[in-house]
Amino acid sequence: MTLEHAKYAPERTALIVVDVQEASVARGPWRGDEVVRNIGSLIAAARASGVHVVFVQHDGQPGDEDEAGLPGWEIHAAIRPRDDERVVRKSHNSAFRGTDLET
């Protein structure tokens, strides 16, 4: 997959990957393995095209399987961000509420 035919400015474009964490994938979304592979392909295409990849990670409440710091909270191993990629942490059902994602 490439983005060569799209009209965009890579430096002003981002792929936003939301809540693809170990716990959410383990719960078994329909065709979960395929979904994660497809997300991985999109991430690879974005990276190859110079598009920013931003990950949004949900901080669950204490006792939740996605509680910050627990194994289920980690971004899924198949699509982990690189050291130079941004991770926005959220605690609400909106990636924009209480975060600086919009900037």
Side-chain angles (χ1 to χ4, degrees):
M1 174 183 287
T2 65
L3 300 175
E4 62 209 27
H5 298 293
K7 292 185 180 184
Y8 66 95
E11 68 281 358
R12 297 186 43 84
T13 304
L15 171 66
I16 302 174
V17 180
V18 181
D19 295 350
V20 185
Q21 293 167 238
E22 293 289 351
S24 59
V25 174
R27 281 194 291 271
W30 186 69
R31 297 169 77 169
D33 291 339
E34 181 180 348
V35 169
V36 171
R37 278 193 308 276
N38 288 341
I39 293 169
S41 293
L42 289 169
I43 291 169
R47 288 171 175 163
S49 299
V51 169
H52 301 283
V53 180
V54 178
F55 294 81
V56 177
Q57 184 175 30
H58 184 74
D59 291 345
Q61 297 295 314
D64 288 349
E65 59 190 351
D66 61 355
E67 177 183 346
L70 294 181
W73 169 79
E74 297 290 336
I75 294 172
H76 194 276
I79 60 153
R80 293 256 162 88
R82 297 186 313 200
D83 289 341
D84 64 336
E85 292 173 328
R86 189 155 171 238
V87 177
V88 174
R89 293 176 57 184
K90 68 179 183 75
S91 57
H92 300 284
N93 63 355
S94 169
F96 294 98
R97 183 175 170 201
T99 71
D100 65 349
L101 180 60
E102 187 173 350
T103 58

